[in-house]
């Protein structure tokens, strides 16, 4: 996979996506969002890939926001189109992938960067990470799902504080809020995420995809999450992974999914 703004690769059962615009602190422009879309789709369709790790190049930033120069002269209709296209093309796509996505947050995760991390299924931050949604300082609000996903993770009060002040929080604060799952030294960040990805890779990919779908249903007011769970649970019984998993358990061996 060859791209201009990102690096996408895979090793064994893990996929890796690195946003590679260090001079722009890995800011998201339209071209980068398109490349991220293509890379996530490609890795998700590869049946050998059991988890995807997304990070930023360098030690300063995961993603330090959107590329403001691209939309500084937009009008209201163009702004709506920008948000709608970005949410569909990348952020909602990531949240709905059947392959778990681990965000390795190395440094600044601001604006669209934090929104990308929140769309990911698991977040691990380096100790030097700083997170925030500073859009109100530009006369904007988060437009890539931030007003929806942040309250789901940290609660309404903390989310409104972060959004209305536009301030940054530390990795330890993010952990205490429930915004990230783990905080580790920067030099251990990728290896920690790889270990986490390998733990995921040992389990049934079919069951994991069903679990992600069921959990996501809880946040969709148009569906009954309990019904989605029942349907997905039942469907698991008709899979080869269920057959392998139960046989391995009864035979006292590790399953080979």
């Amino acid at each position: 996979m060859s791209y201009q703004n990102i690096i996408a690769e895979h090793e064994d059962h893990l996929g890796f996506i690195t946003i590679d615009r260090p001079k722009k602190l890995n800011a998201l422009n339209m071209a980068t969002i398109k490349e991220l879309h293509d890379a996530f789709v490609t890795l998700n369709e590869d049946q050998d890939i059991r988890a995807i790790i997304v990070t930023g190049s360098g030690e300063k930033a995961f993603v330090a926001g959107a590329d403001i120069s691209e939309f500084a002269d937009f009008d209201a209709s163009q702004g709506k189109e920008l948000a709608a296209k970005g949410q569909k093309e990348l952020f909602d796509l990531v949240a709905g992938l059947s392959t778990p996505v681990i965000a390795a947050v190395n440094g600044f995760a601001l604006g669209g960067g934090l929104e990308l991390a929140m769309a990911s299924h698991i977040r691990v931050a380096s100790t030097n990470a700083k997170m925030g949604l500073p859009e109100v300082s530009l006369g904007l609000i988060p437009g890539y799902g931030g007003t929806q996903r942040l309250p789901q993770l940290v609660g309404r009060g903390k989310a409104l504080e972060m959004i209305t002040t536009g301030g940054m929080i530390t990795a330890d604060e993010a952990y205490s809020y429930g915004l990230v799952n783990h905080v580790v030294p920067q030099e251990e960040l990728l290896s920690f995420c790889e270990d986490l990805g390998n733990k995921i890779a040992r389990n049934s990919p079919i069951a994991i995809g069903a679990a992600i779908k069921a959990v996501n249903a809880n946040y969709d007011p148009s569906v009954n999450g309990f019904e989605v769970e029942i349907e997905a649970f039942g469907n698991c019984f008709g899979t080869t992974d269920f057959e392998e998993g139960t046989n391995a358990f009864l035979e006292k061996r590790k399953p080979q999914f």
Side-chain angles (χ1 to χ4, degrees), residues 214 217-218 220-230:
N218 180 58
D220 186 344
S222 68
V223 302
N224 184 319
F226 292 98
E227 291 180 357
V228 173
E229 180 184 281
I230 290 167

Side-chain angles (χ1 to χ4, degrees), residues 160-208:
L160 281 172
E161 180 182 346
M162 287 180 63
I163 292 169
T164 58
T165 64
M168 290 187 291
I169 61 172
T170 66
D172 287 338
E173 288 174 318
Y175 178 76
S176 71
Y177 292 178
L179 182 53
V180 300
N181 299 65
H182 305 277
V183 177
V184 299
Q186 187 168 46
E187 62 271 18
E188 299 173 15
L189 179 63
L190 282 181
S191 62
F192 185 95
C193 290
E194 288 174 17
D195 288 344
L196 193 56
N198 285 323
K199 289 178 182 177
I200 292 170
R202 291 196 284 268
N203 296 310
S204 161
I206 296 175
I208 287 171

Side-chain angles (χ1 to χ4, degrees), residues 20-101:
D20 189 29
R21 303 184 73 214
K23 292 182 179 179
K24 293 284 188 177
L25 293 179
N26 304 322
L28 295 178
N29 60 3
M30 297 174 196
T32 303
I33 287 176
K34 176 64 168 62
E35 290 186 359
L36 285 167
H37 167 93
D38 294 346
F40 276 115
V41 169
T42 299
L43 290 172
N44 187 61
E45 291 176 347
D46 188 333
Q47 294 186 358
D48 287 335
I49 302 300
R50 303 293 178 84
I52 301 169
I53 298 169
V54 59
T55 193
S57 65
E59 298 182 351
K60 291 184 178 180
F62 174 69
V63 173
D67 195 331
I68 297 168
S69 63
E70 283 196 332
F71 57 77
D73 59 350
F74 276 17
D75 60 23
S77 63
Q78 290 172 307
K80 291 176 185 177
E81 182 181 356
L82 177 72
K85 184 178 180 181
Q87 286 191 29
K88 181 179 180 181
E89 191 168 15
L90 179 59
F91 300 86
D92 290 349
L93 170 79
V94 169
L97 290 181
S98 58
T99 306
V101 177

Side-chain angles (χ1 to χ4, degrees), residues 124-146:
V124 182
S126 59
T127 50
N128 68 317
K130 297 286 183 65
M131 284 157 264
L133 295 174
E135 286 87 349
V136 293
S137 68
L138 300 172
L140 295 171
I141 68 169
Y144 288 145

Side-chain angles (χ1 to χ4, degrees), residues 1-3 6-10 15-18 35 39-40 43:
M1 294 179 282
S2 178
Y3 301 100
I6 68 172
I7 300 168
E9 51 201 350
H10 60 86
F16 300 88
I17 297 175
T18 304
E35 290 186 359
F40 276 115
L43 290 172

